[in-house]
Amino acid sequence: MQNNGLYNRLLRLDTYFFNFLRISVFIVMVWIGGLKAYQYEADGIVPFVANSPLMSFFYKNAGNKVLNEDQKLVSEYTLYKNPEGKVVKKNIDWQRENGTYTFSYGLGTMIVLIGIMVLLGIWFPKIGAVGGLLTFFMSLVTLSFLITTPEVYVPNLGGDYPSPQYGFPYLSGAGRLVLKDIIMMAGGLILFSDSLKKVIKPFVV
């Protein structure tokens, strides 16, 4: 009987758990979305956007191929990447002409708005349901980068010995970051379902 009481009390905590999930998604969305206003973050998403058939049209130079120092044909953006924490003027000039920063501002705004909608689901279930659904679709697009972006897998750069781990399934730092979005996708569906239940509950007799 005592165990049943504890079990019932734990069940009543589910509202707090759902709201904690909403707050968690909000923090991630607003933080990451806000960073899209900064140069280093905008530069960092270029490989994902340039290789995505769903997003590459936002960039002017996404499909351009050029010869690198080794006379290999590569995507032009690979020659103008700023490592995080380093600023190179010619790279920034190329990124500006490419439309990198304009797109990043727009994407960041959209991500922040989705995060706010998810948080508002605590008080406004209809808005929360839309936010949860948008979180799901946004995460689905992000996960598609595992198929379209070469940089999500460890490259074979050579060295003293042949590299034993490169390509699929050996995720790079970027790939490991992308894979985590499957959790965000599941969270979006859970919050969509919870918000939808609250919307239709008053109409259920």
Side-chain angles (χ1 to χ4, degrees), residues 66-74 78-79 90:
V66 294
L67 294 174
N68 64 10
E69 294 178 351
D70 300 323
Q71 298 303 301
K72 292 182 180 178
L73 195 63
V74 297
T78 61
L79 304 184
K90 73 176 180 65

PDB file of all heavy atoms in Angstrom, residues 66-74 78-79 90:
ATOM      1  N   VAL A  66      36.495  24.221 -57.081  1.00  0.00           N
ATOM      2  CA  VAL A  66      37.766  24.851 -57.438  1.00  0.00           C
ATOM      3  C   VAL A  66      38.907  23.880 -57.140  1.00  0.00           C
ATOM      4  O   VAL A  66      38.726  22.877 -56.451  1.00  0.00           O
ATOM      5  CB  VAL A  66      37.988  26.162 -56.638  1.00  0.00           C
ATOM      6  CG1 VAL A  66      36.962  27.220 -57.021  1.00  0.00           C
ATOM      7  CG2 VAL A  66      37.945  25.896 -55.143  1.00  0.00           C
ATOM      8  N   LEU A  67      40.094  24.213 -57.655  1.00  0.00           N
ATOM      9  CA  LEU A  67      41.280  23.402 -57.382  1.00  0.00           C
ATOM     10  C   LEU A  67      41.956  23.920 -56.118  1.00  0.00           C
ATOM     11  O   LEU A  67      42.169  25.124 -55.963  1.00  0.00           O
ATOM     12  CB  LEU A  67      42.247  23.468 -58.562  1.00  0.00           C
ATOM     13  CG  LEU A  67      41.765  22.838 -59.880  1.00  0.00           C
ATOM     14  CD1 LEU A  67      42.759  23.104 -60.995  1.00  0.00           C
ATOM     15  CD2 LEU A  67      41.540  21.334 -59.702  1.00  0.00           C
ATOM     16  N   ASN A  68      42.321  23.001 -55.230  1.00  0.00           N
ATOM     17  CA  ASN A  68      43.033  23.406 -54.017  1.00  0.00           C
ATOM     18  C   ASN A  68      44.544  23.390 -54.262  1.00  0.00           C
ATOM     19  O   ASN A  68      45.002  23.226 -55.399  1.00  0.00           O
ATOM     20  CB  ASN A  68      42.640  22.523 -52.834  1.00  0.00           C
ATOM     21  CG  ASN A  68      43.046  21.065 -53.027  1.00  0.00           C
ATOM     22  OD1 ASN A  68      43.781  20.718 -53.962  1.00  0.00           O
ATOM     23  ND2 ASN A  68      42.573  20.207 -52.144  1.00  0.00           N
ATOM     24  N   GLU A  69      45.337  23.529 -53.204  1.00  0.00           N
ATOM     25  CA  GLU A  69      46.793  23.573 -53.339  1.00  0.00           C
ATOM     26  C   GLU A  69      47.364  22.293 -53.938  1.00  0.00           C
ATOM     27  O   GLU A  69      48.407  22.308 -54.585  1.00  0.00           O
ATOM     28  CB  GLU A  69      47.437  23.825 -51.966  1.00  0.00           C
ATOM     29  CG  GLU A  69      47.127  25.198 -51.389  1.00  0.00           C
ATOM     30  CD  GLU A  69      47.749  25.386 -50.015  1.00  0.00           C
ATOM     31  OE1 GLU A  69      48.271  24.388 -49.459  1.00  0.00           O
ATOM     32  OE2 GLU A  69      47.705  26.513 -49.489  1.00  0.00           O
ATOM     33  N   ASP A  70      46.681  21.181 -53.711  1.00  0.00           N
ATOM     34  CA  ASP A  70      47.132  19.895 -54.248  1.00  0.00           C
ATOM     35  C   ASP A  70      46.549  19.601 -55.618  1.00  0.00           C
ATOM     36  O   ASP A  70      46.645  18.482 -56.108  1.00  0.00           O
ATOM     37  CB  ASP A  70      46.749  18.768 -53.275  1.00  0.00           C
ATOM     38  CG  ASP A  70      47.385  18.947 -51.911  1.00  0.00           C
ATOM     39  OD1 ASP A  70      48.538  19.412 -51.862  1.00  0.00           O
ATOM     40  OD2 ASP A  70      46.728  18.624 -50.894  1.00  0.00           O
ATOM     41  N   GLN A  71      45.922  20.629 -56.203  1.00  0.00           N
ATOM     42  CA  GLN A  71      45.302  20.497 -57.528  1.00  0.00           C
ATOM     43  C   GLN A  71      44.193  19.452 -57.555  1.00  0.00           C
ATOM     44  O   GLN A  71      43.975  18.778 -58.562  1.00  0.00           O
ATOM     45  CB  GLN A  71      46.364  20.165 -58.588  1.00  0.00           C
ATOM     46  CG  GLN A  71      47.419  21.248 -58.760  1.00  0.00           C
ATOM     47  CD  GLN A  71      46.813  22.608 -59.120  1.00  0.00           C
ATOM     48  OE1 GLN A  71      46.135  22.740 -60.128  1.00  0.00           O
ATOM     49  NE2 GLN A  71      47.044  23.612 -58.274  1.00  0.00           N
ATOM     50  N   LYS A  72      43.501  19.349 -56.420  1.00  0.00           N
ATOM     51  CA  LYS A  72      42.335  18.475 -56.345  1.00  0.00           C
ATOM     52  C   LYS A  72      41.072  19.332 -56.412  1.00  0.00           C
ATOM     53  O   LYS A  72      41.032  20.428 -55.845  1.00  0.00           O
ATOM     54  CB  LYS A  72      42.343  17.668 -55.041  1.00  0.00           C
ATOM     55  CG  LYS A  72      43.455  16.635 -54.961  1.00  0.00           C
ATOM     56  CD  LYS A  72      43.371  15.848 -53.652  1.00  0.00           C
ATOM     57  CE  LYS A  72      44.471  14.805 -53.568  1.00  0.00           C
ATOM     58  NZ  LYS A  72      44.432  14.051 -52.276  1.00  0.00           N
ATOM     59  N   LEU A  73      40.072  18.822 -57.099  1.00  0.00           N
ATOM     60  CA  LEU A  73      38.822  19.558 -57.225  1.00  0.00           C
ATOM     61  C   LEU A  73      38.026  19.425 -55.928  1.00  0.00           C
ATOM     62  O   LEU A  73      37.689  18.314 -55.507  1.00  0.00           O
ATOM     63  CB  LEU A  73      38.012  19.006 -58.403  1.00  0.00           C
ATOM     64  CG  LEU A  73      36.842  19.880 -58.920  1.00  0.00           C
ATOM     65  CD1 LEU A  73      37.377  21.205 -59.459  1.00  0.00           C
ATOM     66  CD2 LEU A  73      36.063  19.135 -59.992  1.00  0.00           C
ATOM     67  N   VAL A  74      37.762  20.550 -55.295  1.00  0.00           N
ATOM     68  CA  VAL A  74      37.049  20.544 -54.009  1.00  0.00           C
ATOM     69  C   VAL A  74      35.968  21.615 -54.028  1.00  0.00           C
ATOM     70  O   VAL A  74      35.940  22.498 -54.893  1.00  0.00           O
ATOM     71  CB  VAL A  74      38.019  20.823 -52.836  1.00  0.00           C
ATOM     72  CG1 VAL A  74      39.058  19.728 -52.723  1.00  0.00           C
ATOM     73  CG2 VAL A  74      38.677  22.194 -52.976  1.00  0.00           C
ATOM     74  N   THR A  78      35.526  25.076 -48.814  1.00  0.00           N
ATOM     75  CA  THR A  78      36.580  24.462 -47.997  1.00  0.00           C
ATOM     76  C   THR A  78      37.851  25.307 -47.954  1.00  0.00           C
ATOM     77  O   THR A  78      38.675  25.126 -47.055  1.00  0.00           O
ATOM     78  CB  THR A  78      36.931  23.053 -48.522  1.00  0.00           C
ATOM     79  OG1 THR A  78      37.426  23.155 -49.870  1.00  0.00           O
ATOM     80  CG2 THR A  78      35.710  22.140 -48.511  1.00  0.00           C
ATOM     81  N   LEU A  79      38.002  26.225 -48.902  1.00  0.00           N
ATOM     82  CA  LEU A  79      39.191  27.085 -48.928  1.00  0.00           C
ATOM     83  C   LEU A  79      39.006  28.349 -48.104  1.00  0.00           C
ATOM     84  O   LEU A  79      39.959  29.126 -47.936  1.00  0.00           O
ATOM     85  CB  LEU A  79      39.519  27.471 -50.374  1.00  0.00           C
ATOM     86  CG  LEU A  79      39.723  26.328 -51.376  1.00  0.00           C
ATOM     87  CD1 LEU A  79      40.123  26.883 -52.729  1.00  0.00           C
ATOM     88  CD2 LEU A  79      40.757  25.341 -50.866  1.00  0.00           C
ATOM     89  N   LYS A  90      40.058  37.612 -45.605  1.00  0.00           N
ATOM     90  CA  LYS A  90      39.658  37.138 -46.931  1.00  0.00           C
ATOM     91  C   LYS A  90      38.565  36.070 -46.833  1.00  0.00           C
ATOM     92  O   LYS A  90      37.696  35.977 -47.696  1.00  0.00           O
ATOM     93  CB  LYS A  90      40.856  36.609 -47.721  1.00  0.00           C
ATOM     94  CG  LYS A  90      41.406  35.268 -47.268  1.00  0.00           C
ATOM     95  CD  LYS A  90      42.529  34.813 -48.175  1.00  0.00           C
ATOM     96  CE  LYS A  90      43.096  33.460 -47.726  1.00  0.00           C
ATOM     97  NZ  LYS A  90      42.113  32.365 -47.846  1.00  0.00           N
TER      98      LYS A  90
END
